[in-house]
Amino acid sequence: MRNRFDKELELLNEELIEMGNIIESSIEAAVTALIEQDIELAKRVVEGDKEVNDIEKSIERRCLKLLLHQQPVASDLRMISSALKMITDMERIGDQASDISEITIWLADQEYIKQLIHIPQMAEATIKMVKDSIDAYVKRDLELVKSVIEYDDVVDNLFNIIKDELIELIRESASYGEQAIDLIMIAKYFERIGDHAQNIAEWVYYSITGEHYEENYKFKK
């Protein structure tokens, strides 16, 4: 019985990794489409959100099957319940990649009011956070959890830089206003992706320790 349960847990981890790979690819494609003003790629990101939703449902079914048909101990229950929480954040990351691509489609026939430098940096930072948070779950790695949570400051700082630069452009000319707001929204979606990756890391922390992470919690050495 335990061997079968462990096999199901392994399959659950594989599906979580697959879902993580899909949303990482979605973020990468979304920022590429934005930079290159590639409408077709942006449309594929929007259409690909269904794949994220489908794998979320598959993981939900697997988790419920584990809870209903096996006999999990406390640590198993934490892993399964954490996985259910994690996929909610992962699904929202997919939604936000799609939202970014929808704005890209809207902006496709416009010349950008500034060179996009920090938004690609935000995308790279959020991809790192997503990947590391899922790796932390699979590897049961508290140090990796800590690094993900701390790395959210990088994303937040980039958002503030982008916001300040775009607000300054609006001050220079009201004609920049509409596109500046769209670019701020894109940056805000990337910031939210970082927040969801942090949420995932905090659920990993719970699955390992049985304690809920708090903002000023000091990791034990």
Side-chain angles (χ1 to χ4, degrees), residues 39-202:
I39 295 178
E40 292 307 312
L41 181 56
K43 286 180 179 177
R44 289 200 293 274
V45 175
V46 174
E47 292 164 1
D49 191 43
K50 183 180 182 300
E51 184 180 8
V52 177
N53 296 337
D54 288 344
I55 194 167
E56 179 194 24
K57 291 174 184 174
S58 174
I59 293 172
E60 282 180 347
R61 288 193 295 269
R62 188 176 299 281
C63 287
L64 292 175
K65 179 181 176 183
L66 282 165
L67 291 172
L68 293 172
H69 298 296
Q70 306 294 341
Q71 295 179 327
V73 296
S75 59
D76 297 327
L77 285 171
R78 291 200 305 271
M79 285 188 67
I80 297 165
S81 62
S82 296
L84 285 167
K85 294 288 187 180
M86 288 166 59
I87 60 173
T88 298
D89 281 295
M90 292 166 74
E91 188 274 334
R92 288 174 181 164
I93 289 171
D95 287 344
Q96 278 140 16
S98 176
D99 291 336
I100 290 165
S101 292
E102 287 179 353
I103 297 176
T104 295
I105 294 166
W106 173 259
L107 295 175
D109 61 350
Q110 301 179 33
E111 182 179 350
Y112 288 141
I113 58 177
K114 72 180 299 294
Q115 186 178 0
L116 303 183
I117 298 172
H118 296 110
I119 286 177
Q121 292 174 356
M122 281 191 82
E124 184 178 346
T126 58
I127 290 167
K128 173 179 171 55
M129 289 181 69
V130 170
K131 181 180 185 303
D132 286 352
S133 64
I134 296 165
D135 284 350
Y137 175 84
V138 174
K139 297 174 182 176
R140 321 302 292 153
D141 188 336
L142 277 176
E143 285 303 312
L144 200 50
V145 167
K146 179 182 178 182
S147 70
V148 171
I149 292 169
E150 291 177 345
Y151 206 74
D152 191 49
D153 289 342
V154 174
V155 176
D156 290 343
N157 289 338
L158 285 167
F159 173 74
N160 289 329
I161 291 169
I162 292 165
K163 180 183 66 175
D164 291 345
E165 288 178 345
L166 290 168
I167 289 172
E168 186 59 33
L169 282 176
I170 295 171
R171 289 195 182 115
E172 290 176 11
S173 174
S175 64
Y176 294 147
E178 186 173 351
Q179 188 185 121
I181 290 169
D182 286 333
L183 292 174
I184 289 172
M185 281 302 303
I186 286 172
K188 188 64 180 175
Y189 284 131
F190 278 118
E191 185 194 36
R192 289 176 182 170
I193 290 172
D195 290 341
H196 287 303
Q198 180 175 340
N199 288 346
I200 292 168
E202 290 179 3

